[in-house]
Amino acid sequence: MMALQPRNTRRLKTRWTVRAAEVISKLVITAGGLFTIVAVLTVCVFLILTILPLFKSAKIGHELQTSMALPPSALLYFKVDEYQTTACAMFADGEVRLYCLEDGSVLDSARPFEDAEVCAVSSLGKDDGVAIGFADGSLRIGKLGFVSSFVKDEDLNESLRELVPGKAVKFGKGLVTLTPQGLYRLAILDAEFGDAIPSGSAARVVHVDYTTGPAGPVFCALTDDGVLYVKTRKLIRKNEVTGEEVYKITGGKLQLPSREPDALPQFLLLSGLGDSAYAAWTDGELLRIRTSNLDRLQVVEELNLLEDSQAKLTAFQFLNGKTTLMAGDSLGRLRAWFTTHATVARGDDGLSLTMAHTLPAADSPVVSLSPSSRTRMLAAGYADGTMRAFQVTTEQLLAQSRTEDAKPLDHIIMAPGDDGILAINTQGLSRWSFNPAYPEVTMRTLFLPVWYEGAARPENVWQSSGGEDAFEPKFGMMPLIFGTCKATLYAMLMGVPLALLAAVYTSEFMHPRVRAIVKPSIELMASLPSVVLGFLAGLIFAPFVESHLTAALAVLLTMPLSFVIGGHLWQLLPESRRIVLGRWRLLFICFCLPVGIVSALVVGPVVEKLLFRDPSGTPNFRGWLERNWGSAVSGWVVLLLPVCAAIIVFFIANSVNPRLDTFSRFWSRRRNAWLALAKFLVGALATLLLSFCLAQGLAAFGLDPRGSLVGTYVQKNSLVVGFAMGFAIIPIIYTIADDALSAVPAHLRSASLGCGATTWQTAIRVVVPTAASGLFSAVMIGLGRAVGETMIVLMAAGGTPIMELNIFNGFRTLSANLATEIMGPPEGSTHYRVLFVAALLLFGMTFFVNTLAEAVRLRFRKRALQL
Amino acid sequence: MFSARWITGMAAIAAFAFAISAGSAADQKKAEKEQPRPVSVDPKLQEYKETGEVSGGIKSVGSDTMNNLMALWGEGFKKHYPAVTTEIEGKGSNTAPPALIKGTSNFGPMSREMKKAEIGDFEAKFGYKPTGLRVAVDTLAVFVNKDCPVKELTLEQVDAIFSKNRKGGAEKEIKTWGDLGLTGEWADKPISLYGRNSESGTYGFFKEHALFGGDYKDSVKEQVGSAAVVEAVGKDKYAMGYSGIGYKTEDVRAVPLKAKGAEKAFEATKENAYNGDYPLSRALFLYVNYKPNSDLDALRREFIKFVLSKEGQEIVIKDGYYPVPSTMAEASLKSVGLGKK
């Protein structure tokens, strides 16, 4: 062209449009690239900014002292309302008072029991319920708390109209506060007690405790003659017209042993379900009493909470939920105990009380404890006037402060909203504002085993929310990370060999015309949305595999075998025929596919019959997996087959083939084909034999694959996900691998073939090593896809956050967890932020894998260019 | 080459179509289950009377258990007021409080009561507590496959099946159907467990009442919806799962349950739910943001009246749950200032 237009040869300047286009495209590309980097960084920064508050420490305000009008008789009960404006108290002389917290004045007072002496009061914990024990041996249960309502506009008086938000004013017998939203909230005393319930004796009641079990209220009392009474109240009739309720009270009693130096226990607690009572003496001796059968109260466990004799038990209280016991002693130590199902139970009921947490110790005796009513926090008051707040699960000291007067904090109260801590001593009331931040989460609880309530040992658990206030959130990331790795592993096991071998086959052996059809069709597989794959896997494939389990597993064996045998049979065809039929070779191989499937249907049940027969003689593979019967040998034989096959192949290639070659190289092609077939059959037999011997050996060492590699069969399991996700990652691995192989310069192939190597030798010894880094990057990109894959694991993996290698059970990945849970938690909550930790982890994992893949790919491109 | 692409394309389309048709088959199954039940509404409930013009949008975010119920109520309500639009999202009860607080919904259906922390968050923004209306009764059911021969279960057994702590007091863990006394082919089959995801109120309610506050075993497969739980139990012969009774299909059976200390096991029926004999009966709530001493806007007022009317409660029955007695309806209406004057 140029030669025909000599005029143009002289114009050396590029046209301005071209230059402009160049500049513009350069700008656009740079901007695009920068934008991508900025976008990725923004995501990263956003994730980190959301997570950071999790590690903020708790804040405690300055002490606020108020003098309080306290009567001479002892304070037995003190409760603060959730807005921290009023408090109600009960004293030993039976007086009930409503206090204004701002100035400590008394708003209302009452004497509901006239002159009866109150000896013990216990609160229900979750509501306003209280149980009261009297000197005459009677009990009452009732309500002592607050009623809050809103003052109607027409009832507002002068003093209320002048109220500013945050301030309170007396109104009748109650207190009115103006909320920031402009509502006048009135709090009044709510004290309502039922009829006296005789404990059964006239002895003075020393301790009471009260709870609501599944079948109604349960309460217990200890009288000063050492008898424990446990009672339940059941509603038997309710008059719909008058609203009158008739209750039936049933109960049982138990004489507690008398001990020295204190005859009576110092503490009595009743568990949240009302099924056990705990009586503790000051020397740390504790009795656990089973109260689920009221006709037969029974001491089931006896132990000492303080191993060293010089310490005294000075505070004993439940944590929220009334299951975990907190024991504080005179040495300033605070420890958490709960019952667990230990392997060797100390108690007669199969449970043992176990010390699970030790909180940071102080120098002064613990004198009072108060659990939070919605979380696992605990406020403790010490004899030297120190107040400390803990998170029990994480064993963290969240905050501490000390009163100026340094008098013992006889009563400490964690405000119902966890937003304040109050303490009462002889000097009056001390208040601290409190912001616990996110105490449930530390680096340790995210990634290391944590001892959760009721567990026998510290564990990695993910259980993010429950429907009740007493729920202990479990934010262990490990099960999710493990699930992600497990999903990736099985998907890679399934997808990588298929995709890589397919790439080698299409690029090296397949006729280009066929390849032009095959490659795009495999790439088209990638367009299948993963939700469809997940749907097929979870709802169709999983039940199918479950009902044809042995056949499905046998396919993994018979499929490759049928292809190999097919290949050998092809070699056996007479040369003339083979050349004529050459173009149908692929079709012939395809024929092996149904053969493999059909033979699996036959082989599977046969293997099950041979190896996995239950004691009654029926084949039962799933039963064998349960580990109740049968030996480990049969499982090992099957599991070791691939390993043994690899060993045998290696052995034949390295030791047998060179020797055979010395004389078989002069044989006819047909004879060589027979030899190859014989070699294959002998090899197969040898594999079987070897795996059997190895299995015997492993089993003799007491190793059993059940419980680790295999185990209980679950319908939605890793095998199913492996198939489905393998299917999802095959196209991407295949495409990149095929491109890498095709990029190997043709002159290398020509040289190899020219030297007399076969296509196979060329492919394996020349092409694949040259393209190795490309193949590696293909695998890594497949890995990146598998790590982040969501829909398939969501629909087909069952979603159980467990950490077991077992291929026959499910798992939960980081991505599936995000997909199920991100909708639930309110923005800014602990759970919400922890989910962002999961997101960051996922981001980190895929980012790392993809970057690695890209780095390797770049290197490979450079090398390929040099060739 | 073109033809091969075409074939694979067609294969992909076929797979799609298959997936979609299988999905709609499941829907059909759900439609079939709505067979007549011998349950009727309380005759003392009020008839619903239209009042004037009502328009606006019902936006409901919350319970999955009540998802169909909300949709059916929405449809019924639209018959009276065609100008009303409905938008119903049911991803679990945990999603209800945040949506009410943010104001992205005007109704928050929940299958459990709100937790203190949730109420606290609400109150921090509005200065008053959210109002929960009891709008239907559910018997949370333990489902097994229709072929499963289990006759009844005690709550302790349910606890030992689903929980790793066994706070109900069972001595031993129950892993296989044999542990429940089944023989033959069932004896050594492990019980395959299905449950709801943790955003669900059903998850929380079951945990509190059937597991006595204990923790679920890690092997409970968490499904994103109640329909998925029931579907899985229907497909998995050795499965057990829990969900609201409204999701029952022909492939599953609700097992009669026996409470701790009760004399016998009770079926999940209306009577047993009302008198509390069925141990897992519960109220279904509709939470609203009602400012005390004020009047509700026309849309919410009329919708609540509709839900608690005879017509609304007929819909509850149609969806497989049980209607509220008139006393409960009256109390609910009163709590939002709609009680009888």
Side-chain angles (χ1 to χ4, degrees):
Chain A
M1 289 285 277
M2 288 293 218
L4 292 175
Q5 291 168 310
R7 270 183 300 158
N8 283 353
T9 51
R10 304 204 66 177
R11 213 187 76 177
L12 294 170
K13 269 191 176 168
T14 321
R15 231 179 300 154
W16 72 270
T17 45
V18 175
R19 272 189 302 169
E22 201 169 84
V23 170
I24 289 168
S25 53
K26 191 177 168 188
L27 274 174
V28 168
I29 290 169
T30 320
L34 280 176
F35 183 75
T36 315
I37 293 171
V38 168
V40 170
L41 278 178
T42 317
V43 168
C44 203
V45 167
F46 174 70
L47 287 178
I48 291 171
L49 282 183
T50 317
I51 291 164
L52 273 183
L54 275 181
F55 304 105
K56 263 205 299 212
S57 51
K59 276 199 183 73
I60 188 128
H62 289 292
E63 184 193 354
L64 206 75
Q65 278 230 346
T66 320
S67 63
M68 241 171 89
L70 289 171
S73 54
L75 175 66
L76 293 179
Y77 177 86
F78 193 81
K79 188 184 164 92
V80 177
D81 74 13
E82 55 198 304
Y83 317 105
Q84 293 187 60
T85 53
T86 54
C88 66
M90 185 183 265
F91 300 91
D93 59 357
E95 191 184 356
V96 174
R97 282 183 176 183
L98 182 71
Y99 282 102
C100 168
L101 283 180
E102 204 178 307
D103 55 5
S105 63
V106 180
L107 295 166
D108 189 6
S109 87
R111 278 180 180 276
F113 321 115
E114 282 149 16
D115 290 329
E117 187 190 343
V118 175
C119 304
V121 182
S122 163
S123 87
L124 188 55
K126 42 186 172 188
D127 292 317
D128 291 339
V130 286
I132 304 160
F134 295 90
D136 63 354
S138 65
L139 300 167
R140 280 172 201 261
I141 52 180
K143 213 157 74 170
L144 180 53
F146 319 88
V147 185
S148 77
S149 56
F150 293 93
V151 183
K152 284 187 184 157
D153 288 347
E154 57 261 33
D155 298 339
L156 291 179
N157 62 22
E158 254 338 275
S159 67
L160 287 186
R161 286 186 201 281
E162 283 162 15
L163 202 57
V164 288
K167 288 285 173 198
V169 66
K170 206 174 161 183
F171 183 78
K173 283 186 163 185
L175 191 75
V176 170
T177 37
L178 182 60
T179 67
Q181 294 81 10
L183 290 165
Y184 293 90
R185 190 196 297 116
L186 169 68
I188 53 167
L189 184 67
D190 179 23
E192 203 183 311
F193 302 96
D195 297 331
I197 302 161
S199 68
S201 82
R204 190 185 170 84
V205 175
V206 194
H207 299 296
V208 283
D209 201 13
Y210 180 30
T211 186
T212 333
V218 186
F219 46 100
C220 67
L222 185 82
T223 50
D224 65 358
D225 50 0
V227 183
L228 173 73
Y229 296 91
V230 183
K231 294 184 186 295
T232 59
R233 191 178 76 167
K234 272 203 182 98
L235 180 72
I236 47 171
R237 200 170 64 239
K238 185 179 178 187
N239 188 328
E240 290 290 344
V241 183
T242 59
E244 190 184 276
E245 291 169 341
V246 181
Y247 295 102
K248 189 183 161 205
I249 291 177
T250 48
K253 62 174 184 174
L254 178 77
Q255 174 72 50
L256 295 185
S258 184
R259 297 184 67 256
E260 292 299 325
D262 306 308
L264 289 175
Q266 179 70 23
F267 304 98
L268 177 72
L269 295 173
L270 188 64
S271 73
L273 292 172
D275 59 354
S276 33
Y278 300 88
W281 280 261
T282 42
D283 59 354
E285 192 68 16
L286 175 94
L287 292 185
R288 184 159 66 85
I289 300 145
R290 192 103 195 124
T291 57
S292 41
N293 182 356
L294 291 181
D295 300 328
R296 210 169 72 86
L297 302 180
Q298 188 192 359
V299 175
V300 282
E301 193 178 347
E302 194 179 341
L303 87 165
N304 198 311
L305 298 173
L306 312 161
E307 317 79 55
D308 33 13
S309 53
Q310 71 269 34
K312 290 263 177 278
L313 188 67
T314 49
F316 194 53
Q317 184 60 265
F318 273 123
L319 210 56
N320 185 23
K322 294 198 168 191
T323 303
T324 300
L325 294 161
M326 297 304 309
D329 62 29
S330 56
L331 299 179
R333 294 175 302 187
L334 252 176
R335 293 183 288 197
W337 297 74
F338 47 73
T339 52
T340 59
H341 291 273
T343 34
V344 186
R346 207 174 320 116
D348 297 337
D349 55 351
L351 298 169
S352 341
L353 207 56
T354 317
M355 188 177 84
H357 301 290
T358 306
L359 301 181
D363 316 321
S364 166
V366 184
V367 287
S368 54
L369 294 173
S370 170
S372 149
S373 59
R374 22 175 109 160
T375 59
R376 315 288 297 177
M377 283 190 295
L378 178 80
Y382 293 83
D384 63 354
T386 314
M387 173 283 297
R388 299 172 118 194
F390 300 96
Q391 215 288 343
V392 177
T393 311
T394 59
E395 301 178 8
Q396 274 188 104
L397 171 63
L398 299 174
Q400 60 179 337
S401 179
R402 194 165 172 176
T403 54
E404 275 169 30
D405 51 54
K407 293 263 167 50
L409 296 179
D410 300 323
H411 292 271
I412 190 148
I413 299 108
M414 176 77 93
D418 285 351
D419 50 356
I421 294 171
L422 298 94
I424 301 166
N425 60 11
T426 48
Q427 301 300 301
L429 179 76
S430 302
R431 291 164 70 186
W432 293 270
S433 67
F434 179 53
N435 176 9
Y438 301 89
E440 304 93 335
V441 175
T442 61
M443 274 298 181
R444 195 175 68 95
T445 53
L446 283 178
F447 298 105
L448 293 176
V450 176
W451 204 334
Y452 297 110
E453 188 173 87
R457 65 196 71 79
E459 282 167 344
N460 284 304
V461 187
W462 175 268
Q463 217 171 71
S464 52
S465 58
E468 67 218 313
D469 293 303
F471 176 71
E472 180 177 30
K474 301 167 187 71
F475 295 124
M477 285 279 139
M478 286 323 272
L480 306 179
I481 297 173
F482 181 89
T484 306
C485 296
K486 186 174 174 184
T488 312
L489 174 77
Y490 285 117
M492 297 303 277
L493 277 181
M494 178 71 202
V496 168
L498 272 181
L500 288 187
L501 292 176
V504 171
Y505 185 77
T506 46
S507 80
E508 303 303 311
F509 298 92
M510 203 174 255
H511 192 282
R513 225 172 49 214
V514 188
R515 178 167 175 253
I517 299 168
V518 170
K519 195 175 178 214
S521 7
I522 294 186
E523 281 162 2
L524 210 78
M525 267 166 65
S527 66
L528 207 59
S530 63
V531 63
V532 175
L533 277 178
F535 178 85
L536 293 175
L539 293 175
I540 293 160
F541 188 59
F544 177 82
V545 170
E546 190 186 29
S547 52
H548 299 83
L549 178 58
T550 47
L553 291 174
V555 158
L556 297 175
L557 202 71
T558 56
M559 195 67 86
L561 275 184
S562 79
F563 279 110
V564 175
I565 292 175
H568 281 292
L569 290 180
W570 179 263
Q571 293 287 338
L572 283 176
L573 281 179
E575 190 134 16
S576 53
R577 287 278 168 77
R578 207 170 60 233
I579 291 166
V580 173
L581 296 173
R583 47 200 291 225
W584 303 110
R585 194 169 65 166
L586 190 66
L587 208 67
F588 176 79
I589 290 290
C590 285
F591 181 67
C592 296
L593 193 80
V595 171
I597 292 173
V598 171
S599 54
L601 287 173
V602 180
V603 171
V606 169
V607 172
E608 188 181 19
K609 212 170 191 173
L610 283 175
L611 294 173
F612 305 104
R613 255 181 308 184
D614 65 13
S616 68
T618 42
N620 187 350
F621 177 59
R622 284 182 63 175
W624 177 85
L625 288 173
E626 292 301 314
R627 211 176 181 172
N628 298 323
W629 46 263
S631 80
V633 177
S634 30
W636 280 125
V637 170
V638 178
L639 279 174
L640 287 172
L641 275 180
V643 181
C644 294
I647 296 173
I648 297 286
V649 166
F650 187 77
F651 174 75
I652 290 179
N654 280 293
S655 314
V656 181
N657 278 351
R659 265 166 233 183
L660 281 181
D661 279 354
T662 51
F663 52 92
S664 69
R665 66 203 314 173
F666 306 110
W667 290 1
S668 72
R669 204 180 168 129
R670 201 176 158 76
R671 254 180 106 184
N672 257 320
W674 276 112
L675 177 72
L677 184 60
K679 220 161 55 182
F680 167 72
L681 290 177
V682 171
L685 214 66
T687 306
L688 267 180
L689 251 157
L690 181 68
S691 73
F692 188 73
C693 295
L694 279 177
Q696 287 285 5
L698 284 175
F701 275 112
L703 293 172
D704 196 326
R706 290 174 287 182
S708 58
L709 294 173
V710 295
T712 304
Y713 187 86
V714 178
Q715 192 190 54
K716 293 181 176 177
N717 58 45
S718 320
L719 185 75
V720 172
V721 175
F723 272 119
M725 211 145 91
F727 195 81
I729 60 170
I730 280 174
I732 190 162
I733 301 184
Y734 169 82
T735 313
I736 300 173
D738 187 81
D739 290 346
L741 291 167
S742 311
V744 172
H747 57 251
L748 291 182
R749 272 192 207 92
S750 309
S752 168
L753 293 171
C755 292
T758 61
T759 327
W760 169 253
Q761 285 164 333
T762 309
I764 292 307
R765 308 233 172 123
V766 177
V767 181
V768 170
T770 316
S773 51
L775 298 182
F776 176 77
S777 103
V779 170
M780 292 306 279
I781 286 175
L783 191 75
R785 165 93 202 264
V787 168
E789 175 55 56
T790 310
M791 283 321 285
I792 295 174
V793 281
L794 189 65
M795 300 181 83
T800 48
I802 37 182
M803 296 178 72
E804 283 172 29
L805 267 179
N806 180 6
I807 185 169
F808 298 126
N809 69 9
F811 51 83
R812 187 189 298 190
T813 64
L814 289 164
S815 52
N817 187 62
L818 280 171
T820 36
E821 296 193 356
I822 198 69
M823 286 307 295
E827 242 174 84
S829 65
T830 311
H831 183 191
Y832 178 84
R833 295 192 192 277
V834 170
L835 286 177
F836 274 83
V837 176
L840 184 69
L841 277 174
L842 192 61
F843 179 80
M845 279 163 91
T846 43
F847 188 74
F848 172 76
V849 168
N850 285 337
T851 312
L852 190 69
E854 190 57 23
V856 172
R857 204 174 64 85
L858 287 179
R859 221 185 77 118
F860 131 80
R861 255 181 53 188
K862 227 189 211 161
R863 245 182 66 183
L865 284 176
Q866 284 164 356
L867 284 170
Chain B
M1 178 181 148
F2 172 75
S3 66
R5 265 194 193 163
W6 188 77
I7 288 167
T8 21
M10 283 309 285
I13 290 163
F16 249 131
F18 184 48
I20 289 160
S21 69
S24 63
D27 287 345
Q28 240 170 31
K29 213 179 273 170
K30 272 206 70 188
E32 279 165 21
K33 87 172 180 206
E34 281 160 14
Q35 44 188 297
R37 281 162 190 267
V39 179
S40 57
V41 298
D42 189 334
K44 279 188 265 175
L45 283 171
Q46 292 178 11
E47 295 280 353
Y48 182 69
K49 288 187 213 74
E50 282 177 34
T51 45
E53 274 299 297
V54 173
S55 62
I58 293 174
K59 273 182 245 139
S60 149
V61 178
S63 168
D64 168 73
T65 304
M66 296 168 72
N67 204 16
N68 291 342
L69 194 54
M70 284 305 293
L72 291 171
W73 275 332
E75 275 169 32
F77 192 61
K78 266 195 202 166
K79 279 185 199 147
H80 293 286
Y81 306 104
V84 170
T85 57
T86 55
E87 216 177 294
I88 286 139
E89 199 180 291
K91 293 212 171 79
S93 299
N94 283 13
T95 60
L100 274 183
I101 294 169
K102 266 200 226 158
T104 50
S105 72
N106 46 17
F107 291 100
M110 287 181 79
S111 60
R112 60 166 170 83
E113 277 184 271
M114 267 201 203
K115 288 190 278 188
K116 277 184 192 160
E118 291 163 343
I119 294 175
D121 289 345
F122 183 94
E123 204 171 5
K125 169 129 185 231
F126 297 103
Y128 50 87
K129 293 189 165 71
T131 312
L133 310 167
R134 286 159 209 263
V135 290
V137 173
D138 176 28
T139 52
L140 179 54
V142 174
F143 288 118
V144 292
N145 192 281
K146 63 177 186 307
D147 299 326
C148 177
V150 153
K151 290 264 181 311
E152 59 176 60
L153 290 170
T154 66
L155 273 196
E156 284 93 327
Q157 280 174 325
V158 172
D159 178 42
I161 293 168
F162 279 96
S163 167
K164 51 181 171 189
N165 310 109
R166 302 197 297 283
K167 283 180 86 173
E171 299 253 314
K172 276 176 73 182
E173 188 190 351
I174 294 177
K175 278 177 93 174
T176 63
W177 289 98
D179 295 338
L180 285 173
L182 298 196
T183 52
E185 63 151 335
W186 291 80
D188 64 345
K189 295 293 187 303
I191 305 173
S192 173
L193 301 173
Y194 290 90
R196 288 295 314 280
N197 57 319
S198 56
E199 302 321 312
S200 145
T202 306
Y203 172 99
F205 185 90
F206 194 73
K207 181 169 150 52
E208 194 179 344
H209 292 90
L211 269 50
F212 303 97
D215 285 321
Y216 285 98
K217 280 181 187 166
D218 294 330
S219 55
V220 182
K221 293 174 276 299
E222 291 183 8
Q223 308 289 305
V224 183
S226 297
V229 173
V230 175
E231 167 111 22
V233 174
K235 283 230 166 107
D236 188 342
K237 192 176 165 190
Y238 303 108
M240 189 185 279
Y242 60 85
S243 101
I245 191 76
Y247 281 87
K248 188 172 180 296
T249 64
E250 281 171 357
D251 297 331
V252 299
R253 186 165 61 84
V255 189
L257 295 179
K258 185 178 159 189
K260 241 180 166 179
E263 289 137 33
K264 62 183 195 102
F266 290 94
E267 292 269 0
T269 61
K270 179 187 157 194
E271 287 69 36
N272 294 339
Y274 280 5
N275 59 24
D277 281 336
Y278 184 78
L280 297 182
S281 54
R282 58 173 175 173
L284 299 177
F285 294 88
L286 194 59
Y287 273 90
V288 287
N289 178 347
Y290 168 67
K291 187 174 170 185
N293 307 330
S294 72
D295 288 324
L296 280 175
D297 54 283
L299 174 77
R300 287 189 296 165
R301 183 188 67 222
E302 290 310 312
F303 186 72
I304 290 169
K305 274 189 180 169
F306 172 77
V307 161
L308 291 167
S309 69
K310 251 183 201 160
E311 195 181 340
Q313 293 298 307
E314 295 280 1
I315 290 173
V316 172
I317 299 174
K318 194 174 151 207
D319 195 37
Y321 296 104
Y322 304 118
V324 291
S326 59
T327 47
M328 203 190 258
E330 191 53 40
S332 290
L333 287 172
K334 215 174 150 192
S335 65
V336 284
L338 295 174
K340 279 183 198 153
K341 295 280 149 59

